[in-house]
Amino acid sequence: MLTQDKFVKEKEHKRLYGEVLKYITREVSNIMTALDTERVNDIEEIRMRAGRPLMVQSYEGDWFVKKNGILSKKHDNAYVTSMENIQNTLELMSQSSIYAYQEELRMGYITLKGGHRVGITGKAVVNNKNIKTLKDISGLNIRIAREVKGCGRKILNYLVNRKAENDIFNTLIVSPPQCGKTTILRDLSRLLSNGFSSLKGLKVGIVDERAEIASCYNGIPQYDVGIRTDVIDCCPKVSGLEILIRSMSPHILVTDEIGDSGDFDAIIKTLNAGVKIITSAHGYNISELKSRDEVLKLIKSRVFERYVVLSNINGPGTVEEIVDGQDMKLIYRRIEDVS
Amino acid sequence: MFLKIAGSIIVLAGCTMFGYFLSSNLSERPAELRKLIGHFQMFENSICYLTELLYEAFGKISKTCDDAVTGIFKDTVSNLSNAEMPASLAWERAVKKNINRTSLIKEDESILISFGKMLGNSDLDGQLKNIRLTIGQLEIQVKKAEEKRKKSELMFRRLGILVGSAIVIILI
């Protein structure tokens, strides 16, 4: 039996799924509508590669899609995506205005209305060692956006400093890909910005380097990132942090995927300005992070007061452990399922 | 006698006006071509400096006036929003639908259709080159149309007066 909560979630996902299909060429979207509805709820990615089978991906694995919409683990009889399918899809996604998405093509992705992201591969046109644009586009990866409101609630309890009023710990979220770190960052910024139980709403600034956290479409965040949140979209992290500190007087800065050179200085600068930071890094555990210079420097200088490690053992967003950054003591650990 | 004079004046005036009417038809084509050039320049401006999407830019253009030439842009937008089709097809259909309401000739039509082939499906440089090429071709058409107009306009007017006077002379 469906619980109310699950029912709402599934309905929401169906809506999002429908939203994405509008941007796919009719030949393929007809197949996708015929898909087994039970499975549809889990789909995270739709993959189109020219001359190769159409595929969908959920967190459990990937499937080939047959012409009648049946999913299978074997690739014979699967629907083969044509170059034309991809070109027509791209034309729909760009609303017949590929010229307007030049900058996005260069970065390799387009953000659709609703916050869905489409990864793009093709042949790069290079000019003076810089990618000018992509042509002969042959691969699309359509990632269906997910907004899991409330997923940050549990974590947030561990991030509030009870000793001081309205104080949040500097936090690093450590997670392998597709375990929901961006989703959790987004929910944390929404909760902090709107206010959460005893916590007053704080001013949050998001530096959205890859347009993933807020997923702006024409400058407007497609996700609910909170009422006191300012977003600077598609901006390099270092300059983005600087701009926000200088002009928007934030309490907390949120940014994704640290680890590039220059990040250390930018984060130290943020902390010197008295601003708290919540950010994320790729990795399976804390010790793995130490192999990366820029992150190691941050860990050594004890910048972060809390580490949150995620996995997808019980679905994306499973909290593995939460560690105190000052003495590296475990505060929370996931209890293994007895079954 | 009075009736004769009145009748011949009416015949003469009628024929002269008919001549003028024919000649004014000729001057419509260059005016329409110029309007098209203006629209293309506006399109260039919209995508180059305002980075607008195709439907936004065309929507803006179609609001500037309400005639057959502007109808091409208007119908392209509605074709795009109503059905899944590439911009080139949407444009071609809009051109074919509206061309008969204008005084444009086959040559102009083929310039417009070839403009549509690249519409929306290349990067900014490609779009700008395409627009400029089309504008250049249309300017040549304007020149040709003007020359034709100059020649034929006078001829039609004079012919009107001459035919009018010929009828009057024959009838008298």
Side-chain angles (χ1 to χ4, degrees):
Chain A
M1 216 177 79
L2 285 175
T3 59
Q4 184 73 25
D5 194 33
K6 200 174 169 207
F7 179 70
V8 171
K9 228 188 236 173
E10 282 183 2
K11 212 171 139 197
E12 174 69 6
H13 191 259
K14 241 169 241 160
R15 186 185 66 79
L16 291 173
Y17 185 70
E19 219 170 61
V20 169
L21 290 193
K22 274 194 301 194
Y23 292 102
I24 300 177
T25 183
R26 194 154 297 165
E27 224 172 302
V28 178
S29 71
N30 281 346
I31 299 174
M32 300 306 288
T33 9
L35 235 56
D36 188 3
T37 38
E38 278 292 302
R39 290 260 189 265
V40 162
N41 291 321
D42 297 329
I43 292 178
E44 289 174 344
E45 291 177 358
I46 301 169
R47 293 234 172 216
M48 297 168 77
R49 300 179 177 100
R52 274 165 290 170
L54 179 67
M55 292 177 85
V56 293
Q57 165 106 34
S58 77
Y59 74 89
E60 292 168 73
D62 52 5
W63 277 275
F64 298 99
V65 186
K66 288 187 183 172
K67 207 164 189 169
N68 48 11
I70 290 172
L71 296 179
S72 134
K73 283 281 181 193
K74 288 189 192 125
H75 65 82
D76 32 303
N77 283 331
Y79 177 82
V80 176
T81 320
S82 67
M83 196 74 176
E84 203 188 340
N85 286 156
I86 290 176
Q87 272 162 1
N88 290 344
T89 304
L90 202 67
E91 181 138 359
L92 278 177
M93 285 172 173
S94 67
Q95 293 169 291
S96 312
S97 319
I98 290 177
Y99 60 84
Y101 289 90
Q102 227 170 326
E103 197 57 38
E104 280 91 341
L105 280 184
R106 185 159 38 205
M107 310 277 280
Y109 64 81
I110 291 184
T111 306
L112 299 180
K113 199 171 177 196
H116 314 284
R117 279 165 52 95
V118 183
I120 297 164
T121 54
K123 186 178 175 188
V125 182
V126 180
N127 187 10
N128 290 336
K129 286 186 184 167
N130 289 322
I131 297 176
K132 210 173 138 222
T133 185
L134 286 178
K135 66 172 189 179
D136 302 337
I137 288 160
S138 61
L140 296 177
N141 172 20
I142 304 154
R143 297 176 69 176
I144 297 169
R146 241 161 230 260
E147 188 171 27
V148 191
K149 282 192 183 173
C151 66
R153 237 163 241 257
K154 197 168 131 193
I155 300 172
L156 194 59
N157 282 325
Y158 293 93
L159 307 187
V160 182
N161 188 354
R162 305 274 172 209
K163 287 173 193 154
E165 202 184 336
N166 272 329
D167 195 17
I168 298 291
F169 290 121
N170 295 316
T171 306
L172 180 67
I173 296 173
V174 183
S175 154
Q178 293 201 320
C179 289
K181 71 180 146 355
T182 309
T183 315
I184 283 181
L185 271 183
R186 184 183 307 136
D187 199 53
L188 285 177
S189 49
R190 182 181 68 88
L191 290 169
L192 289 168
S193 147
N194 286 353
F196 171 68
S197 62
S198 64
L199 206 69
K200 265 199 318 194
L202 298 168
K203 280 180 278 181
V204 178
I206 297 180
V207 182
D208 207 356
E209 200 170 5
R210 270 163 267 198
E212 276 181 313
I213 308 179
S215 273
C216 290
Y217 176 81
N218 287 347
I220 299 162
Q222 295 295 302
Y223 290 117
D224 182 3
V225 285
I227 39 182
R228 292 182 187 81
T229 304
D230 304 300
V231 182
I232 185 152
D233 192 29
C234 292
C235 180
K237 206 171 295 137
V238 177
S239 18
L241 290 173
E242 216 168 289
I243 292 171
L244 285 176
I245 295 168
R246 196 187 297 143
S247 54
M248 304 308 277
S249 70
H251 292 116
I252 304 162
L253 282 173
V254 175
T255 182
D256 213 356
E257 306 198 356
I258 54 157
D260 297 337
S261 62
D263 286 359
F264 176 76
D265 292 334
I267 287 172
I268 296 294
K269 224 186 242 174
T270 309
L271 299 180
N272 287 343
V275 180
K276 297 287 174 182
I277 188 149
I278 299 179
T279 180
S280 71
H282 263 296
Y284 287 86
N285 49 49
I286 298 170
S287 48
E288 192 197 318
L289 288 180
K290 291 182 181 159
S291 61
R292 283 150 67 185
D293 268 356
E294 213 56 20
V295 186
L296 180 66
K297 269 198 275 179
L298 286 169
I299 295 176
K300 268 191 181 157
S301 49
R302 301 202 185 281
V303 162
F304 296 111
E305 294 157 297
R306 288 288 182 273
Y307 294 96
V308 179
V309 183
L310 301 178
S311 76
N312 62 359
I313 288 179
N314 296 334
T318 309
V319 182
E320 277 296 313
E321 52 185 27
I322 298 175
V323 176
D324 188 320
Q326 302 303 308
D327 48 15
M328 291 318 240
K329 264 190 197 148
L330 214 57
I331 309 178
Y332 169 91
R333 159 157 268 174
R334 184 177 62 86
I335 303 152
E336 295 281 341
D337 279 343
V338 187
S339 61
Chain B
M1 189 62 203
F2 175 72
L3 270 178
K4 264 188 185 171
I5 293 171
S8 32
I9 287 174
I10 289 171
V11 169
L12 194 61
C15 286
T16 312
M17 264 158 75
F18 188 65
Y20 270 81
F21 170 72
L22 283 181
S23 73
S24 79
N25 241 0
L26 272 178
S27 62
E28 230 162 67
R29 189 172 149 238
E32 279 172 347
L33 287 170
R34 280 205 197 91
K35 194 168 253 173
L36 270 177
I37 292 174
H39 287 342
F40 282 127
Q41 273 161 348
M42 194 167 163
F43 178 50
E44 179 184 333
N45 194 38
S46 304
I47 64 171
C48 193
Y49 301 108
L50 306 172
T51 58
E52 285 177 332
L53 299 179
L54 189 67
Y55 78 94
E56 291 171 326
F58 273 27
K60 216 193 241 173
I61 292 168
S62 57
K63 274 185 201 125
T64 53
C65 12
D66 190 26
D67 52 18
V69 176
T70 320
I72 300 175
F73 292 84
K74 204 172 178 178
D75 285 338
T76 308
V77 177
S78 62
N79 283 349
L80 278 176
S81 63
N82 290 340
E84 178 193 321
M85 59 167 93
S88 53
L89 189 63
W91 171 261
E92 196 177 321
R93 283 192 188 167
V95 169
K96 287 200 170 136
K97 188 181 158 196
N98 285 291
I99 202 84
N100 291 333
R101 289 167 55 210
T102 65
S103 12
L104 298 179
I105 58 170
K106 222 48 213 155
E107 234 174 271
D108 307 331
E109 188 185 345
S110 65
I111 291 174
L112 289 179
I113 287 175
S114 71
F115 162 77
K117 293 277 182 265
M118 259 185 81
L119 188 58
N121 59 12
S122 72
D123 64 354
L124 199 56
D125 282 349
Q127 293 296 308
L128 294 181
K129 269 182 201 148
N130 189 30
I131 295 170
R132 279 176 200 153
L133 175 74
T134 312
I135 289 179
Q137 284 173 329
L138 287 177
E139 267 162 0
I140 294 171
Q141 292 300 97
V142 170
K143 237 180 230 166
K144 280 200 231 163
E146 282 289 359
E147 269 165 28
K148 198 174 166 194
R149 182 183 67 94
K150 259 185 216 155
K151 261 197 256 163
S152 317
E153 202 173 38
L154 218 63
M155 184 191 77
F156 276 123
R157 282 182 201 170
R158 284 184 188 156
L159 216 60
I161 300 170
L162 283 176
V163 170
S165 12
I167 293 170
V168 170
I169 289 164
I170 290 165
L171 287 185
I172 289 174

